[in-house]
Amino acid sequence: MSATSFPEGFVWGVSTSAFQIEGGTSAGGRGPSIWDVFSADRAEACDHYHRYPEDVRLMKDLGMAAYRFSVSWARVFPDGSGKANPAGLDFYDRLLDEVLGAGITPYATLYHWDLPQALEDAGGWPSRDTARHFADYAAAVGERLGDRVGTWFTLNEPWVSAFLGYGSGIHAPGRKSAADAFTAAHHLMLAHGLAAQALGDAKVGIVLNISPVMTPGQVADPSRPLSEEDADAVARIDALANRQFLDPMLRGAYPADLLPVIERAAGLDHIHDGDLDVIARPIDLLGVNYYTPLVVQAQPSEPADPAFPGSEGVLFCTVPTAVTAMGWPIVPGCLSRVLQHLATEYPGTDLMVTENGADFVDVVTGDGIHDVERISFIEEHLRALRSAIEAGVPVRGYFVWTLLDNLEWADGYRRKFGLVHVDFATQRRRLKDSALWYRDVVRRNGLTDTRPKRPTLETVAARARVSRATVSRVVNGEASVSSEVRATVLRAVEELGYVPNAAARSLVTRRTNAVALVVSVPRQGGEALTAAVVQYVTSLLEGAGKQITLMLADTAESRRRVVQHVEAHLCDGVVLLPPDRADTLAERLSRTGVPVVLLGKQAIASLVPYVDVDNAGGAAAATEHLIGRGRRRIGMICGPMDLVAVQDRLAGHRAALRRAGRQPLLALADLTRPSGAAAMRQLLGDEPALDAVFAATDQLAIGALQAAGECGRRVPEDLAVVGFDDIDAASATTPALTTVRVPVADQALALARLLLSRLEGRHTTPVVLPTRLVIRDST
């Protein structure tokens, strides 16, 4: 085996899921699933239910050896149990015949998150009966289709089903209960074991989403030593995300460090004697879905993430690396780490990469869909996979997620993971460049020996002996080029394997693929947000193929240069961090016709879409928290009043007091700690019975804490203090400051995504992100 080839018999394929592509939601007697009820989008998806012959032909043309699909439980058992629906089984009969007729090996997943709604109404996965019904479903499907399915996967990513569906509620069925999440997780694993028994002697596996858990420093240096606190954070999240499923199945026991977490949240009564023996039934194959690592570090007083009950004191971090359009960090080397770790910790288990792929912003042009970012993503992950195989890890195959652009669950149709583009208005399929590239990988059973240097526009022009502009006109399909010259250019394109890029298209379309990132020097306290915007906006937009031009807008002259730059259409879009003071720059830029997005709501109503946080809601939550703790006289340190965010925080505070029948007590300040201290002294002088203070920023709150001590007031016994922003110093004060957390990185990522949506011509509206109250010792 060469350095870039894969073992003989290595399985190459693509993966899909029923709800995401089938459509036909009421065809053939199918019943509703939890996603039909939960999803805001109609689930006609790719209409694969009617168009499966075309999709199988696409896979055959691409040389796929295998196809991993899922069976819709609600199509086979519309009510989740009882009598099987013959029409539903007939559909999978036809699909399998088509797949096998194309020379493709089917791999069937029994459950890919689409629980029949009737079973959810009866209790869902937190009910033990659901596991028994799943075993009956598995037996019926196995009996009908088992003569043609060589490998069954019982479940796909049970962590997602349990903790996003029942813990955080961001997936169907939308419940928010830590107890339900842990109970659902156990019953999902019990369902796996019962289904494996029901399938008899068939080859059976399961698919887990496995992410390496590490600190930010370990992303670049895996051997970096950890503090005791960080080591505990990593171990706890690894237990919640990975070992909660791996250990019962492959070791017959829950991790010892996880059981106390489960017991606190849900008790242990749902784990019956004999369950672990069923769950630990030997499997033939472990499917690994890998997209991105989980990056964490210890953070005292950090509340638990609802998707990870028991994660108190753990901060989930972003890392400064290239990201996909979903904001997921791209770290290919972590795939190799995951596979080697599994081979070491759980030896004797055959592995298969059952999902790996990425969402990028695809641009449909007359000459194709040139998704070079997706090609690069898959290629780098395949090189990491090849490295694991060379180290002796028993990986038997690789499946790209996914064949078709599809209905991406709660994100609807805007995510693009497919090798094949789907126009959902017409259901027309078009191969992307990544599909053709992957076809060649499959044909050669490996990658090229070297990463080829991509031919440029200039290379093609030199080969064809024409100008760059002529090449651009040819690849953009202009009719002004003679047929003879066109033939010459196209021959050069084919000989060189040239993929037309933004430079080629921009000569005709006048698109620059450049984005202006316009910033102003932030006021005190805004430095972290500005730094995050520069870091993450740059990373995400560069990951989408954009070039970033950083421009300052702090003086009249610099703002004039920004306007000239945009008016000359030297960029396709603008991300603007406007000055804190009132300024007309946003409106001037909006009149240029170039898409603009803003950080922060403007004082004057604007048609320009913006990203902000729910300042009023956060202030209301902080005030309601103080009222709920029995505080009677609550003051607010407020300022500067020319900031829109401060105005909104004041409005939220006043609204909460009004609902409680209280009157506001205000003291004005600027952004500094000394002004916060002065305002606190003023409040205590005006209102000696004051027993709580809400400050508009953490800097003001820290000044208030200092002044309270100087005035002989004990915090929190005599006086409770709450801030806003959760700056780094907030958790280091004495006592630690209760505050309202602002999602800094999420604002930056939302800005980039909002601009990408505008560049694609989509309708956009302001994005207002939720804040979160972080309760510490000061209240």
Side-chain angles (χ1 to χ4, degrees):
M1 185 170 61
S2 75
T4 52
S5 66
F6 282 72
E8 184 177 352
F10 190 80
V11 177
W12 297 98
V14 289
S15 288
T16 67
S17 88
F19 180 79
Q20 292 180 272
I21 68 167
E22 279 185 3
T25 52
S26 58
R30 177 188 181 274
S33 76
I34 53 175
W35 276 98
D36 294 293
V37 175
F38 182 83
S39 176
D41 289 287
R42 286 297 299 156
E44 294 313 309
C46 307
D47 196 26
H48 178 74
Y49 183 79
H50 298 104
R51 297 172 179 266
Y52 69 89
E54 176 185 358
D55 295 335
V56 173
R57 282 196 301 273
L58 282 173
M59 288 187 282
K60 181 179 181 180
D61 291 344
L62 293 173
M64 294 301 102
Y67 175 43
R68 175 178 166 248
F69 67 99
S70 77
V71 177
S72 167
W73 189 348
R75 198 177 292 286
V76 176
F77 285 94
D79 296 321
S81 61
K83 185 178 179 181
N85 173 29
L89 289 169
D90 288 346
F91 167 70
Y92 294 106
D93 259 337
R94 296 191 300 271
L95 173 62
L96 283 172
D97 287 346
E98 196 80 24
V99 168
L100 291 165
I104 299 170
T105 301
Y107 287 72
T109 304
L110 286 169
Y111 185 71
H112 199 127
W113 308 351
D114 48 355
L115 183 71
Q117 181 63 36
L119 292 183
E120 173 59 24
D121 294 340
W125 282 112
S127 169
R128 191 176 183 88
D129 286 342
T130 303
R132 299 191 185 99
H133 292 313
F134 182 72
D136 294 338
Y137 156 63
V141 174
E143 181 179 358
R144 179 68 176 271
L145 308 178
D147 60 327
R148 283 155 294 165
V149 174
T151 301
W152 296 95
F153 291 112
T154 54
L155 307 175
N156 180 80
E157 299 185 358
W159 180 86
V160 173
S161 299
F163 290 93
L164 298 190
Y166 292 92
S168 69
I170 65 173
H171 273 206
R175 293 202 224 170
K176 298 180 180 180
S177 165
D180 284 350
F182 281 118
T183 306
H186 178 73
H187 290 156
L188 279 156
M189 294 305 293
L190 178 63
H192 154 75
L194 292 172
Q197 289 180 350
L199 289 167
D201 296 331
K203 189 174 181 181
V204 176
I206 190 173
V207 173
L208 303 180
N209 52 309
I210 308 292
S211 294
V213 185
M214 58 190 66
T215 63
Q218 287 182 313
V219 174
D221 180 9
S223 63
R224 183 168 180 167
L226 299 181
S227 66
E228 183 177 345
E229 295 79 9
D230 280 345
D232 172 72
V234 168
R236 199 150 21 112
I237 301 307
D238 182 54
L240 287 165
N242 299 325
R243 290 184 284 124
Q244 179 172 191
F245 302 94
L246 288 165
D247 280 15
M249 183 176 60
L250 299 176
R251 290 177 174 163
Y254 277 106
D257 54 342
L258 181 64
L259 281 172
V261 178
I262 300 175
E263 187 170 21
R264 284 197 301 272
L268 299 176
D269 290 344
H270 60 283
I271 304 173
H272 293 190
D273 290 344
D275 282 1
L276 288 166
D277 292 333
V278 175
I279 293 170
R281 179 186 173 95
I283 59 172
D284 300 288
L285 194 60
L286 174 60
V288 177
N289 292 355
Y290 171 76
Y291 292 96
T292 193
L294 282 168
V295 184
V296 302
Q297 64 186 35
Q299 178 68 56
S301 301
E302 177 74 14
D305 186 311
F308 295 89
S311 62
E312 297 87 353
V314 178
L315 178 66
F316 289 83
C317 309
T318 51
V319 291
T321 185
V323 295
T324 68
M326 291 189 77
W328 294 351
I330 301 173
V331 190
C334 282
L335 174 57
S336 183
R337 293 185 209 175
V338 161
L339 296 172
Q340 292 189 57
H341 176 77
L342 290 171
T344 300
E345 293 296 317
Y346 307 95
T349 304
D350 280 354
L351 306 176
M352 179 172 279
V353 177
T354 38
E355 288 184 26
N356 179 238
D359 168 38
F360 289 108
V361 178
D362 293 329
V363 178
V364 180
T365 69
D367 63 314
I369 301 154
H370 309 302
D371 55 337
V372 293
E373 297 90 356
R374 186 171 291 103
I375 292 172
S376 176
F377 180 97
I378 297 173
E379 178 175 8
E380 293 307 313
H381 283 80
L382 284 176
R383 292 187 185 278
L385 169 58
R386 179 63 185 73
S387 174
I389 293 173
E390 181 67 20
V393 178
V395 185
R396 306 309 181 199
Y398 175 89
F399 290 71
V400 170
W401 183 267
T402 178
L403 175 66
L404 304 168
D405 288 342
N406 58 30
L407 177 58
E408 187 56 34
W409 305 110
D411 280 339
Y413 292 104
R414 63 195 181 102
R415 299 299 179 193
K416 308 297 181 186
F417 278 87
L419 299 175
V420 179
H421 174 268
V422 178
D423 181 337
F424 292 103
T426 64
Q427 291 295 344
R428 181 190 176 193
R429 275 77 159 140
R430 293 182 65 185
L431 298 178
K432 302 177 188 179
D433 287 353
S434 58
L436 303 175
W437 175 87
Y438 188 51
R439 175 198 63 191
D440 293 340
V441 170
V442 174
R443 285 177 176 172
R444 74 169 74 94
N445 193 36
L447 303 165
T448 55
D449 290 335
T450 59
R451 295 172 175 84
K453 184 178 180 181
R454 301 186 184 278
T456 64
L457 191 69
E458 290 78 6
T459 310
V460 177
R463 173 69 66 90
R465 299 175 184 261
V466 297
S467 68
R468 293 171 69 251
T470 298
V471 175
S472 181
R473 281 193 285 271
V474 170
V475 299
N476 281 280
E478 282 201 0
S480 60
V481 182
S482 71
S483 58
E484 182 180 351
V485 172
R486 181 182 304 280
T488 301
V489 171
L490 291 178
R491 185 164 55 249
V493 166
E494 183 177 359
E495 291 171 352
L496 294 168
Y498 173 66
V499 175
N501 57 18
R505 294 192 292 272
S506 66
L507 291 179
V508 172
T509 64
R510 297 187 179 277
R511 289 184 67 86
T512 65
N513 254 28
V515 169
L517 176 54
V518 181
V519 302
S520 302
V521 174
R523 291 195 186 189
Q524 183 177 359
E527 298 87 353
L529 179 56
T530 300
V533 168
V534 172
Q535 173 182 327
Y536 293 115
V537 166
T538 298
S539 178
L540 195 150
L541 290 178
E542 286 185 342
K546 310 300 179 185
Q547 297 176 349
I548 308 301
T549 302
L550 184 63
M551 307 185 75
L552 297 178
D554 288 313
T555 65
E557 176 59 25
S558 64
R559 290 193 290 277
R560 185 184 65 81
R561 285 197 298 268
V562 169
V563 173
Q564 286 181 335
H565 182 85
V566 178
E567 285 180 336
H569 289 266
L570 299 177
C571 60
D572 297 332
V574 179
V575 176
L576 174 62
L577 282 64
D580 291 324
R581 58 192 175 279
D583 186 84
T584 61
L585 181 58
E587 291 305 312
R588 292 167 67 192
L589 293 178
S590 71
R591 293 194 292 270
T592 64
V594 173
V596 180
V597 298
L598 302 179
L599 177 66
K601 184 172 68 175
Q602 295 291 282
I604 301 173
S606 171
L607 296 177
V608 181
Y610 61 84
V611 172
D612 204 349
V613 299
D614 185 5
N615 288 293
T623 306
E624 289 164 356
H625 167 69
L626 292 171
I627 294 170
R629 291 294 172 97
R631 304 291 173 166
R632 305 292 301 174
R633 300 295 289 164
I634 303 173
M636 180 176 180
I637 299 175
C638 192
M641 291 309 299
D642 61 332
L643 293 182
V644 177
V646 171
Q647 295 169 18
D648 285 350
R649 293 172 190 180
L650 174 58
H653 170 72
R654 281 176 164 164
L657 289 177
R658 186 169 57 251
R659 288 191 293 271
R662 310 282 183 86
Q663 294 296 317
L665 302 168
L666 299 180
L668 298 182
D670 57 31
L671 286 171
T672 64
R673 294 184 187 182
S675 73
M680 172 60 90
R681 287 189 286 267
Q682 176 190 330
L683 283 171
L684 291 173
D686 293 343
E687 184 61 45
L690 189 80
D691 61 0
V693 168
F694 168 55
T697 71
D698 284 345
Q699 294 287 4
L700 297 178
I702 293 171
L705 284 173
Q706 177 186 350
E710 293 170 353
C711 294
R713 303 295 293 270
R714 296 174 303 162
V715 178
E717 292 83 358
D718 302 330
L719 184 71
V721 180
V722 181
F724 205 115
D725 290 328
D726 197 21
I727 63 175
D728 289 342
S731 62
T733 59
T734 303
L737 181 64
T738 292
T739 184
V740 177
R741 170 161 302 159
V742 171
V744 172
D746 288 349
Q747 288 182 79
L749 294 170
L751 269 174
R753 292 170 185 150
L754 188 62
L755 182 63
L756 289 172
S757 293
R758 293 210 69 195
L759 293 177
E760 293 173 13
R762 300 176 186 169
H763 174 70
T764 54
T765 57
V767 176
V768 179
L769 300 170
T771 54
R772 187 170 66 177
L773 184 66
V774 180
I775 300 172
R776 300 194 179 107
D777 296 339
S778 68
T779 60

